[in-house]
Structure formats: C-alpha cells, structure tokens
C-alpha cells in the first residue's frame, strides 16, 4: 500500500499571507506527482504535473517544487486571497504496472480569511 | 480545459436499490476512466480502472459484482452500485484520461442509502 501524506490537514491564514504545505510520497518507483485544487461543489482542478527531480512549476501566485530522492513536494501560495480557499490534493503516480493510477493524500484544507 | 460530466450529483434511495452513475468526457476521447470513492475525512480511494472496450480492473478489496463498471465508448463510463446498502453511502467521483492527458475529474456523486 502506497503512503501519501499531506501536512498540515488544515490551515487558516489571513488575506495577503504567503503559505506552503507538504506532500510526502514513496521515493521508489516514482513516475509523477500531481497537485489538484478542489473547491467545494466543484471538480478537482489539475494545478501541476511534476516528473523530474528538482522540478519547479509556477501558475500565477502558486508554485510547487519536487524532490523525488527524498520523496516530498511543496506547494507555495504567495499573497493568499479568499478565492484560494480550497482543499489542495497531491497524488502520486507510480510507474510500471501502476502507470496511470493515482494515490491521493488526504488533502490540506486552506481557508483564507479576508 | 477538458470537461468531464458526472451525473447524478446526488442520490438518496432505499436499501436494496441499484444505482447507476454516469461519467462522460465531453470534449476529448477518454481511453481510460477511473472511479474513486471518498469516505468522510479520508482521501480519494481508487476503486477501479476501466479502459474502453475491455473489462475494468478492480483494486484489492473492491467487489466487482457489487460495483459494476461499463466503459462501452470513448466518452462514457458507468458505475452501477448493485443492491445498495447503507454502508455503500459515500462520495463517488470519476476521472477521465485520454492520450497523454492528465486525469480530469467529474463533480462527484453523493450517494445516501436509507
């Protein structure tokens, strides 16, 4: 059973604060690491797909880094806004016969207060 | 972006009823569709992977006779919960993946069995 852990489970920040959270995953048989944003009553929205050790990706105020050797990824949000409030999910994609299957973490629930 | 439609969004029915959930990819051909289940405060758990025109591959512990999956076309997969009981009450969500596409999710179905 693959273990994908996210921390913290929940986070409350003030508008304008920068924040970050962590996803840890197995460091063996790595193929890709996905980040999704999931707003209430909507479908999960793909943010990033990261495949190479040392990858850094950015989308507006959101960025992510990847360390496959030690098995972790960080998601950063700069200058948080209320509309950033959502659950952020990471998902591990192993290679080989598990190709295509995603193992999700429990998510980090972010609440940004105006 | 790619759109996946899942229907219905909510179902409330009596114990013993069979419930069918549809997952459609609206603007791309989904060679693979995935069905997930989420219990409260837990992560999305993969139930099964279905490829168009072939039998679904179920994850360990998921009863294939209980959760019937059909993927008859490149745009439609269905999950039927047969003779549903209260313990089947959960949130079910599908995702669709095409050639070199990440997984795109539907909005999910909240199933409540009385």
């Amino acid at each position: 059973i693959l273990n994908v852990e996210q921390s913290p489970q929940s986070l409350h920040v003030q508008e304008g604060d920068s924040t970050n959270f962590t996803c840890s995953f197995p460091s063996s048989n790595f193929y890709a690491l996905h980040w999704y944003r999931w707003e209430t009553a909507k479908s999960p929205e793909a943010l990033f797909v990261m495949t190479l050790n040392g990858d850094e990706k950015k989308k507006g105020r959101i960025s992510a880094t990847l360390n496959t050797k030690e098995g972790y990824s960080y998601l950063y949000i700069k200058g948080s806004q209320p509309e950033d409030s959502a659950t952020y999910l990471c998902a591990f994609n192993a290679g080989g016969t598990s190709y295509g299957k995603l193992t999700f973490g429990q998510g980090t629930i972010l609440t940004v207060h105006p | 972006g790619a759109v996946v439609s899942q229907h219905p969004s909510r179902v409330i029915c009596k114990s013993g009823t069979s419930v069918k959930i549809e997952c459609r990819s609206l603007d791309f051909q989904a060679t693979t569709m995935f069905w997930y289940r989420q219990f409260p405060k837990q992560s999305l758990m993969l139930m099964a992977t279905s490829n168009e025109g072939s039998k679904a591959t179920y994850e360990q512990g998921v009863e294939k006779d209980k959760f019937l999956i059909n993927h008859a076309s490149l745009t439609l997969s269905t999950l039927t919960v047969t003779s549903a009981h209260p313990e089947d009450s959960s949130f079910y969500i599908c995702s669709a993946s095409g050639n070199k596409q990440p997984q795109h999710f539907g909005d999910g179905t909240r199933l409540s069995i009385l």
Side-chain angles (χ1 to χ4, degrees):
Chain A
I1 296 177
L2 299 174
N3 207 24
V4 180
E5 299 281 345
Q6 288 187 249
S7 64
Q9 284 190 352
S10 65
L11 197 52
H12 290 257
V13 301
Q14 290 297 126
E15 183 175 355
D17 288 350
S18 292
T19 186
N20 66 85
F21 18 96
T22 307
C23 172
S24 62
F25 52 86
S27 54
S28 60
N29 198 25
F30 175 87
Y31 183 79
L33 193 283
H34 301 245
W35 281 101
Y36 286 86
R37 174 170 59 202
W38 194 0
E39 295 178 67
T40 304
K42 295 186 179 179
S43 57
E45 172 200 356
L47 289 174
F48 305 114
V49 181
M50 309 179 80
T51 55
L52 297 175
N53 183 44
D55 251 357
E56 287 189 32
K57 295 216 171 178
K58 189 173 181 181
K59 187 176 183 179
R61 294 179 290 99
I62 305 177
S63 60
T65 61
L66 179 69
N67 183 323
T68 60
K69 293 185 188 304
E70 295 181 41
Y72 64 83
S73 175
Y74 294 136
L75 189 79
Y76 300 91
I77 302 179
K78 186 177 177 182
S80 303
Q81 298 297 308
E83 58 265 31
D84 296 329
S85 297
T87 298
Y88 290 83
L89 298 171
C90 71
F92 173 76
N93 188 180
T97 57
S98 296
Y99 175 72
K101 293 185 186 179
L102 297 182
T103 301
F104 282 86
Q106 284 186 296
T108 294
I109 302 170
L110 174 68
T111 305
V112 182
H113 300 277
Chain B
V3 179
V4 175
S5 172
Q6 186 172 341
H7 178 81
S9 58
R10 186 170 180 95
V11 181
I12 302 172
C13 57
K14 293 181 180 178
S15 186
T17 307
S18 291
V19 178
K20 183 187 276 190
I21 303 170
E22 290 189 350
C23 182
R24 293 181 185 272
S25 60
L26 298 184
D27 54 358
F28 70 101
Q29 293 186 326
T31 50
T32 306
M33 287 188 172
F34 302 87
W35 288 95
Y36 296 85
R37 182 175 181 175
Q38 185 184 36
F39 289 109
K41 299 192 179 183
Q42 294 190 23
S43 57
L44 292 173
M45 297 294 293
L46 181 66
M47 298 174 66
T49 303
S50 76
N51 293 295
E52 184 264 338
S54 61
K55 288 184 179 180
T57 303
Y58 290 81
E59 295 300 299
Q60 195 172 8
V62 178
E63 297 176 59
K64 62 180 181 180
D65 295 330
K66 175 74 169 176
F67 300 101
L68 299 178
I69 290 172
N70 184 280
H71 190 167
S73 77
L74 284 170
T75 59
L76 174 64
S77 176
T78 60
L79 167 69
T80 302
V81 183
T82 61
S83 187
H85 291 285
E87 59 266 27
D88 299 321
S89 299
S90 191
F91 182 78
Y92 295 85
I93 190 167
C94 69
S95 71
S97 175
N99 187 26
K100 297 184 180 179
Q101 289 236 16
Q103 290 186 31
H104 298 283
F105 284 83
D107 287 346
T109 298
R110 175 81 50 198
L111 177 61
S112 300
I113 308 298
L114 306 176

